[in-house]
Amino acid sequence: QSPAIETAATGAEDTAVIIYTSGTTGRPKGAELTHSNLMLNAILSSNLFDSTPQDTFLTVLPLFHIFAMTVLMNCGIYKGVTNVLLPRFDAETVLGLMQKHKVTVFAGVPTMYWGLLNYENEAIDMASISDTLKSCISGGASLPVTVLEGFEAKFNVEILEGYGMS
């Protein structure tokens, strides 16, 4: 017999998760985010990317970080999208999965965009990726203008840059 799982009623302003800050001003600090924080960020992300249940997100960012948790996981769950998970970034694998799964939304950090922009392989059909990719999001650091412009031109998609705080 399985042990009983204890549950408790929670409200919108109750703590849902504790996300640790980067510690730029000293030691990392636990930032308490409420259920309402997470839900409203998922709704905002969904509206910003015009997400629908027909979308396919590619998640390479770590889900323990607020960027991936909010923009990809929570937004994806909220809209019921398909979410393709990849444990580690590799440009060839990412582009192959974008092509195979007809990925519509990708979020990454600047080094990922640099890697995707500079990857060349005739086996990857960049045109088919461009045809389905509708939203790209960059965060974690400033995206160099040359990478931004080059990626947008190569994949015919706008990169939205974000800045968030835990």
Side-chain angles (χ1 to χ4, degrees), residues 95-152:
L95 291 167
L97 289 172
M98 284 180 169
Q99 182 178 321
K100 177 181 179 181
H101 295 286
K102 300 184 182 338
V103 169
T104 57
V105 176
F106 176 77
V109 295
T111 54
M112 292 178 182
Y113 285 101
W114 182 87
L116 295 172
L117 173 62
N118 291 294
Y119 184 80
E120 296 294 333
N121 183 335
E122 292 176 13
I124 302 292
D125 183 0
M126 298 296 185
S128 72
I129 293 170
S130 293
D131 287 345
T132 58
L133 199 56
K134 71 176 195 177
S135 294
C136 286
I137 307 97
S138 180
S142 296
L143 186 62
V145 173
T146 55
V147 175
L148 173 85
E149 291 173 346
F151 188 92
E152 289 182 345

Side-chain angles (χ1 to χ4, degrees), residues 1 4 41 47 63 72 81 102 110 130 135-137 149 161:
Q1 190 177 42
N41 276 316
N47 291 342
L63 293 171
L72 298 168
V81 308
K102 300 184 182 338
S130 293
S135 294
C136 286
I137 307 97
E149 291 173 346
E161 287 189 89

Side-chain angles (χ1 to χ4, degrees), residues 32-112:
E32 295 183 48
L33 302 181
T34 67
H35 293 280
S36 180
N37 290 142
L38 298 178
M39 184 64 188
L40 291 173
N41 276 316
I43 292 169
L44 174 69
S45 294
S46 171
N47 291 342
L48 187 61
F49 317 134
D50 196 25
S51 298
T52 71
Q54 289 71 43
D55 278 322
T56 300
F57 290 8
L58 178 57
T59 300
V60 182
L61 296 167
L63 293 171
F64 62 79
H65 190 278
I66 195 64
F67 183 15
M69 182 190 296
T70 295
V71 172
L72 298 168
M73 184 178 74
N74 292 348
C75 172
I77 291 168
Y78 171 68
K79 278 299 184 168
V81 308
T82 297
N83 208 330
V84 177
L85 301 173
L86 184 63
R88 177 170 285 120
F89 178 80
D90 171 76
E92 182 173 359
T93 305
V94 166
L95 291 167
L97 289 172
M98 284 180 169
Q99 182 178 321
K100 177 181 179 181
H101 295 286
K102 300 184 182 338
V103 169
T104 57
V105 176
F106 176 77
V109 295
T111 54
M112 292 178 182

